Amino acid sequence: AIVMLVMFAFGVHASEGSTYAIVPYIKPSATGSVSGVVGAGGSIGGVLWGVIFLFRGSMPPQDCLAIISVIVSISSLMTPFIFIQDQPGLCFSLHIESGRAETKSND
């Protein structure tokens, strides 16, 4: 159990580090504000997971975990479509020029 706990903690801290590593690129002039929103978003997420369990009614805890896993999976699948201005995308880049969006491959 200790080994699994350490592996889980490593994954959690790696994902947190990658999230905060993106912050300076989002809006360099407002890095502090963006950091605050990212930090608050994590806290809100933690509270909302608890609320799912609190208001589950007669639903078994396994179903609550299934709901959370679906939310996490959908969020993870949407991450390649996050674009930061003036930065390359994960799979492709979206460049907006003269009111028209263009897609460019990252080859």
Side-chain angles (χ1 to χ4, degrees):
I2 298 294
V3 172
M4 290 303 293
L5 178 66
V6 169
M7 289 173 46
F8 180 77
F10 180 77
V12 167
H13 288 289
S15 65
E16 289 173 354
S18 65
T19 300
Y20 280 101
I22 295 171
V23 167
Y25 297 104
I26 295 185
K27 188 167 178 110
S29 62
T31 301
S33 298
V34 175
S35 294
V37 170
V38 169
S43 299
I44 290 172
V47 169
L48 290 179
W49 294 154
V51 169
I52 289 174
F53 282 98
L54 181 66
F55 293 108
R56 66 185 166 107
S58 62
M59 184 186 311
Q62 294 84 355
D63 289 347
C64 294
L65 290 173
I67 291 170
I68 291 171
S69 66
V70 167
I71 293 170
V72 169
S73 298
I74 290 171
S75 299
S76 298
L77 291 173
M78 292 174 47
T79 56
F81 304 104
I82 296 174
F83 299 104
I84 300 171
Q85 185 176 0
D86 299 328
Q87 299 296 323
L90 183 61
C91 299
F92 53 89
S93 296
L94 184 68
H95 297 284
I96 300 174
E97 295 177 11
S98 66
R100 182 178 97 193
E102 297 178 7
T103 312
K104 182 179 177 182
S105 178
N106 280 347
D107 295 332

